[in-house]
Amino acid sequence: IIGAGPTGIEFAAELLDFIEENGARFYKELLPYVRIKIVEAAPSILRPFEDGMKEEAIRKLTRKIELEGVPTLQPLEILTNKLVSEVSGNFVYFKDG
């Protein structure tokens, strides 16, 4: 997900909700491989919001997920200070390499 403003963060939260609510039922064997990355050029997420709200969002998004029959998951990573220079069919390229 490129952009850690309100839309990017909401989309990431919805993906995590899907993993928690339906992932084990439909994709149990694939869940250990699921990775969600939020890429933000700025030094923090949700820039217009107060620090407490940002910290709470980070805590909830990067939490560990426990599902029956699946190893503990921590599928989301937030990358800040990363400027995207190009997106191709298979890769995201960063300005700093």
Side-chain angles (χ1 to χ4, degrees):
I1 300 169
I2 299 173
T7 303
I9 296 301
E10 177 64 24
F11 182 54
E14 291 296 328
L15 289 173
L16 287 175
D17 285 347
F18 175 78
I19 289 169
E20 285 185 301
E21 295 170 14
N22 298 301
R25 184 171 13 149
F26 298 111
Y27 305 105
K28 188 179 217 172
E29 65 283 346
L30 297 176
L31 285 180
Y33 305 103
V34 172
R35 299 290 177 268
I36 302 167
K37 294 187 187 283
I38 300 173
V39 180
E40 174 57 50
S44 68
I45 69 168
L46 297 171
R47 289 191 70 193
F49 294 92
E50 297 176 5
D51 287 344
M53 292 179 74
K54 293 176 191 182
E55 291 163 8
E56 180 68 10
I58 291 169
R59 186 185 67 73
K60 286 185 174 186
L61 290 170
T62 58
R63 72 190 182 284
K64 292 182 180 177
I65 299 173
E66 304 277 343
L67 298 171
E68 188 176 330
V70 178
T72 300
L73 304 171
Q74 192 166 11
L76 193 134
E77 180 181 2
I78 300 170
L79 305 171
T80 56
N81 294 311
K82 297 297 274 183
L83 187 62
V84 173
S85 62
E86 182 182 344
V87 177
S88 71
N90 295 314
F91 300 98
V92 174
Y93 299 92
F94 299 108
K95 188 167 185 157
D96 63 358

